[in-house]
């Protein structure tokens, strides 16, 4: 295998996994981040985010994996620069590209380097950069990593997308070659299509979730069980079983942002993307439906003690961006309820974000004396609690809203709990 020195710009989720992944494949990697404390910690082998397997990978590849705050360190050694900086949403829903622009500014008018865009950017970004920077090498290489399984997703991708136009084809060959050892299908295409593949994939998955959430809501009224429905639907090859789990809505740093961004991009061209408008609205309503489930059993929530189990937007991550827990805590506070939240990984980091909720040090502490427990994140330890013994004894009212259909419903009901799942 040809060894290619690699530059990675931005050491967040995507950058760290990309950097460590390529180092694992045998390449020398220079990863640059502008936050000095982060770079120092990484040099000591301390990883600032919770991502299974990542610390081990970073420590195991430390000979080939170098961290720096200085752009010239990277530019001197690598020609391919994997851009992994944040592109957060602005108020309008468009993506904020200021960090990508900052990278461009630092690159100056170098004609020796190629940008390999991993950050999620609006369709058209690559073309606009190439137009402004005549002759710049540019490859679109969107990432499809899921937080919580990012290392595995890097090593075993479903597909790798490599988009390039005209003069950048040679760079695209080199990028494609880097991924060849992974054995996945490599989709070679143009830049705009590569950019669209990323946004359309996330928008489609989000649509699948909002769809099954609506099926769940209707199933509750009509007496069907949405889990049975999803199982029966998922066996159809054309539908597939994944991303058909009804729940308290999708969160995270990607789906809400990317669905909004695609809708906005369409809108900017004068096209009203009706379906995505509905996907977003369904998700917002879904995040709030728990409140009426609690009211159905408890009446007005003022003064009630509510335990929130899980703060992270999904298990195996400490990420709370766009998490349903934040919306629920806000709504519960608005109703006058007292909320105690517990998460095994975010811990006290979430303090202050949860609208005045107290943060408990354990699930049992959160549940103690509660009028209801709401499971927001399906952390394995929540299934292992002694629900029918210790938990039941500690709760004032044995009411559970299982926002991820994660607990053993039959056992809980048999033990005298009032159980509310999603779509059952
Ligand atoms: C998502 C995509 O799955 C990745 O392919 C993509 O690379 C990434 O966004 C990104 O653009 O960076 P991620 O946000 O890490 O990954 O997490 P997911 O596992 O996709 O979950 C997103 C949300 O959907 C979570 O809140 C999860 O609880 C929810 N979800 C997922 C459901 O409610 N039901 C499901 O069936 C699946």
């Amino acid at each position: 295998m040809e060894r290619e020195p690699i530059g990675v710009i931005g050491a967040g989720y995507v950058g760290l996994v990309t950097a460590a992944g390529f180092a694992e494949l045998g390449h020398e990697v220079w990863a640059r981040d502008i936050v000095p404390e982060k770079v120092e910690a990484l040099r000591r082998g301390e990883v600032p985010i919770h991502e299974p397997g990542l610390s081990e990978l970073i420590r195991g590849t430390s000979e080939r994996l170098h961290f720096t705050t200085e752009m010239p360190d990277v530019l001197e050694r690598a020609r391919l620069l994997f851009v992994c900086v944040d592109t957060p949403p602005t108020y309008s829903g468009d993506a904020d590209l200021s960090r990508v622009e900052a990278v461009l500014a630092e690159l100056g008018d170098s004609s020796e380097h190629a940008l390999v865009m991993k950050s999620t950017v609006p369709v058209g970004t690559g073309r606009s950069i190439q137009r402004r920077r005549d002759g710049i090498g540019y490859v679109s290489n969107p990432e499809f990593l899921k937080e919580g399984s990012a290392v595995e997703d890097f090593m075993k991708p479903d597909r790798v997308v490599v988009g390039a136009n005209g003069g950048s084809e040679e760079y695209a060959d080199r990028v494609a070659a880097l991924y060849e050892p992974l054995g996945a299908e490599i989709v070679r295409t143009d830049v705009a299509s590569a950019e669209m593949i990323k946004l359309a994939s996330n928008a489609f998955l989000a649509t699948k979730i909002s769809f099954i959430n609506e099926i769940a809501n209707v199933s509750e009224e009509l007496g069907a069980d949405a889990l049975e429905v999803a199982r029966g639907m998922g066996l159809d090859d054309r539908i597939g079983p994944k991303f058909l789990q009804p729940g308290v809505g999708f969160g995270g740093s990607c789906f809400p942002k990317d669905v909004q961004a695609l809708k906005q991009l369409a809108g900017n061209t004068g096209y009203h993307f009706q379906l995505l408008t509905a996907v977003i609205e369904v998700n917002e309503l879904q995040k709030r439906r728990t409140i009426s489930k609690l009211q159905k059993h408890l009446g007005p929530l003022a003064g009630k003690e509510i335990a929130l189990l899980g703060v992270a937007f999904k298990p195996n991550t400490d990420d709370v961006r766009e998490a349903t827990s934040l919306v629920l805590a806000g709504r519960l506070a608005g109703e006058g309820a007292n909320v105690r939240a517990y998460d095994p990984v975010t811990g006290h980091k979430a303090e202050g974000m949860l609208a005045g909720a107290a943060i408990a040090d354990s699930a049992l502490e959160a549940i103690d004396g509660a009028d209801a427990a709401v499971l927001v994140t399906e952390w394995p330890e929540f299934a292992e609690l002694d629900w029918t013994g210790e938990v039941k004894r500690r709760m004032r009212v044995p009411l559970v809203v299982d926002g991820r259909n994660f607990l053993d419903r039959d056992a809980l009901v048999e033990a005298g709990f009032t159980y509310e799942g999603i779509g059952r």
Side-chain angles (χ1 to χ4, degrees), residues 139-392:
V139 177
S140 169
N141 175 218
E143 62 84 21
F144 301 98
L145 310 175
K146 298 185 287 301
E147 288 183 21
S149 60
V151 171
E152 204 189 317
D153 292 339
F154 181 92
M155 293 300 173
K156 293 186 204 133
D158 286 344
R159 81 308 209 175
V160 173
V161 174
V162 178
N165 300 333
S168 292
E169 292 291 350
E170 183 253 337
Y171 288 117
D173 291 342
R174 279 159 65 183
V175 172
L178 292 173
Y179 288 103
E180 239 146 52
L182 302 177
E185 172 142 4
I186 296 180
V187 181
R188 286 291 294 265
T189 183
D190 61 281
V191 171
S193 301
E195 292 165 341
M196 185 59 111
I197 288 171
K198 167 67 190 191
L199 288 177
S201 297
N202 272 1
F204 186 79
L205 291 169
T207 303
K208 236 180 147 179
I209 299 171
S210 275
F211 180 84
I212 200 66
N213 281 338
E214 291 219 280
I215 292 292
N217 298 343
V218 178
S219 291
E220 284 174 9
E221 300 304 321
L222 299 180
D225 182 334
L227 294 192
E228 294 297 300
V229 177
R231 184 163 69 97
M233 286 171 66
L235 287 169
D236 186 323
D237 256 357
R238 294 167 301 175
I239 299 172
K242 293 181 183 164
F243 281 68
L244 276 187
Q245 288 160 26
V248 283
F250 57 78
S253 64
C254 304
F255 283 176
K257 163 181 85 109
D258 290 351
V259 175
Q260 186 64 42
L262 183 50
K263 181 190 149 189
Q264 188 71 20
L265 267 177
N268 293 348
T269 71
Y271 184 82
H272 178 52
F273 208 140
Q274 297 206 45
L275 194 52
L276 294 187
T277 308
V279 167
I280 295 165
E281 197 179 308
V282 168
N283 197 48
E284 290 308 317
L285 293 174
Q286 196 70 13
K287 286 183 170 180
R288 290 163 175 80
R289 269 176 70 86
T290 303
I291 303 296
S292 43
K293 288 191 170 161
L294 290 170
Q295 284 165 334
K296 182 169 107 190
H297 297 286
L298 299 174
L301 298 178
K304 300 286 192 234
E305 304 288 330
I306 310 291
L308 278 192
L309 299 182
V311 175
F313 83 96
K314 65 175 200 175
N316 291 322
T317 177
D318 58 355
D319 200 340
V320 298
R321 286 177 284 179
E322 299 280 336
T324 298
S325 60
L326 308 182
V327 174
L328 274 181
R331 289 286 291 115
L332 286 166
E335 297 292 329
N338 303 318
V339 178
R340 273 193 309 277
Y342 167 72
D343 187 285
V345 171
T346 65
H348 289 267
K349 188 180 123 179
E351 210 132 23
M353 297 181 190
L354 286 172
I359 305 287
D361 290 321
S362 70
L364 286 178
E365 189 191 314
I367 282 166
D368 210 49
D371 294 297
V374 179
L375 186 141
V376 188
T377 318
E378 62 276 38
W379 284 104
E381 74 165 70
F382 296 149
E384 285 152 21
L385 290 170
D386 178 16
W387 283 94
T388 55
E390 180 83 22
V391 174
K392 175 122 190 286

